[in-house]
Amino acid sequence: GMGPVVVWNSTKTCNLECIHCYASAKKLKFPGELTTEEARAMIDDLADFKVPALLMSGGEPLVRPDIFDLAEYATKKGIRITFSPNGILITDAVAKRMSDIGVTYAGISVDGAEPRHDHMRAKAGAFKETLKGIRNCRGQGIRVGVRFTATSDNIGDIDAIFRLVEEEDIGRLCIYHLVYSGRGAYLSGIDVPNPGKRVFMDKLIRQTDRWNAGGRNIEVMTVDNHADGPFIYLWLLENDPSRAGMAHELVMNNGGNRTGVAIGAIDSFGFVHPDQFT
């Protein structure tokens, strides 16, 4: 059978120091990270394990000078490569290189409207630069998934995210619930209280239905809250019972947490984890 999808946090170095970073990335060089040779050996192993996809994450994967050579190496071994960059370093030339290698998808984080994004990314002008990175990807035919991590501070910005997805012709929206890991560990105080999460999920489901009704093909997913599946089932029971049976079936088929089974993670020093947050 297939191996798990693997996230490789290719470096802890980043060009940003976001307040909600699960990897506690910083603008400095960390000793002891995998060398190019070690990373190639890791990719050889992953190919042997029949890993279908390798997600190049970080830190900021694009600050690793050998990242494209490694991505190309993995692609030639039949592993699908996707990137999780913050978008700022994606010039048109970088997007073209990604496209040439065969990278078809990048998941890029946006934390809300411009002022909020710049605040959470701790960098003035970050929003404009990220948007340029998204457009450069789209210009080279790379699919972009917009990622939004919900906190009590930015949850009101979700409408700005919906607009961005529509205006930039984004095919996928990934909503991350806050994970108390890395710098996020100190942020449990800004997590959205459960009643607020329910209101938020209701809004998300209704927006998705509107997109579907309008023929907009936008894939919407939520990450890191296993209550979401049952929530959707209960929501449908109440609002659209004809679809509830299908949701129930999907919840039962998918089971619960797939950590260490459908997903695995390797950090920048080569240590293996059940997922990228553990």
Side-chain angles (χ1 to χ4, degrees):
M2 277 285 186
V5 166
V6 173
V7 177
W8 181 36
N9 294 98
S10 59
T11 178
K12 267 187 75 140
T13 303
C14 192
N15 55 326
L16 295 177
E17 292 187 9
C18 308
I19 58 178
H20 53 317
C21 181
Y22 77 79
S24 302
K26 288 188 181 302
K27 297 175 190 174
L28 50 90
K29 194 150 168 39
F30 292 83
E33 295 192 329
L34 292 187
T35 64
T36 303
E37 290 68 37
E38 287 168 336
R40 278 176 188 256
M42 171 191 81
I43 290 164
D44 292 341
D45 286 345
L46 295 180
D48 290 345
F49 297 144
K50 298 197 173 32
V51 162
L54 181 61
L55 281 60
M56 303 278 202
S57 191
E60 169 54 56
L62 300 185
V63 301
R64 217 189 132 106
D66 61 358
I67 202 72
F68 291 131
D69 296 335
L70 292 170
E72 193 164 21
Y73 185 72
T75 305
K76 290 201 169 119
K77 295 220 146 204
I79 300 172
R80 195 170 77 250
I81 290 291
T82 66
F83 274 89
S84 300
N86 56 43
I88 288 175
L89 301 176
I90 305 178
T91 59
D92 192 49
V94 165
K96 181 161 177 8
R97 176 93 163 98
M98 283 162 71
S99 168
D100 289 346
I101 290 168
V103 175
T104 56
Y105 181 80
I108 298 176
S109 297
V110 181
D111 299 320
E114 188 166 3
R116 173 86 52 205
H117 180 84
D118 288 1
H119 169 71
M120 287 179 73
R121 304 259 138 196
K123 181 183 198 288
F127 183 87
K128 284 189 175 72
E129 293 176 47
T130 295
L131 189 55
K132 199 184 287 170
I134 289 172
R135 288 173 179 170
N136 287 338
C137 283
R138 300 289 298 115
Q140 295 293 341
I142 296 167
R143 284 179 63 228
V144 170
V146 162
R147 297 180 172 170
F148 175 81
T149 299
T151 71
S152 57
D153 287 341
N154 73 350
I155 202 159
D157 278 37
I158 190 62
D159 293 308
I161 298 292
F162 292 154
R163 274 198 305 279
L164 177 79
V165 164
E166 289 175 4
E167 287 166 7
E168 300 298 325
D169 194 30
I170 303 291
R172 191 182 210 195
L173 173 62
C174 301
I175 304 289
Y176 282 73
H177 293 276
L178 189 66
V179 178
Y180 305 164
S181 150
R183 280 199 285 277
Y186 308 103
L187 295 179
S188 55
I190 66 161
D191 195 8
V192 181
N194 287 343
K197 281 189 181 143
R198 288 192 280 270
V199 170
F200 177 74
M201 285 294 292
D202 174 78
K203 191 169 186 173
L204 189 62
I205 292 169
R206 290 179 193 277
Q207 177 61 61
T208 306
D209 266 347
R210 275 199 297 278
W211 278 333
N212 288 336
R216 295 293 297 262
N217 186 16
I218 300 167
E219 183 184 3
V220 179
M221 59 185 287
T222 71
V223 186
D224 290 311
N225 184 350
H226 299 293
D228 288 348
F231 180 90
I232 291 170
Y233 167 64
L234 294 171
W235 189 95
L236 287 169
L237 267 187
E238 203 173 302
N239 296 283
D240 192 354
S242 65
R243 284 193 288 170
M246 188 173 65
H248 185 267
E249 207 174 302
L250 286 168
V251 169
M252 298 312 284
N253 287 344
N254 286 322
N257 191 318
R258 306 284 285 151
T259 290
V261 181
I263 191 162
I266 302 170
D267 67 25
S268 62
F269 308 105
F271 294 105
V272 176
H273 307 270
D275 68 24
Q276 67 272 44
F277 304 115
T278 312

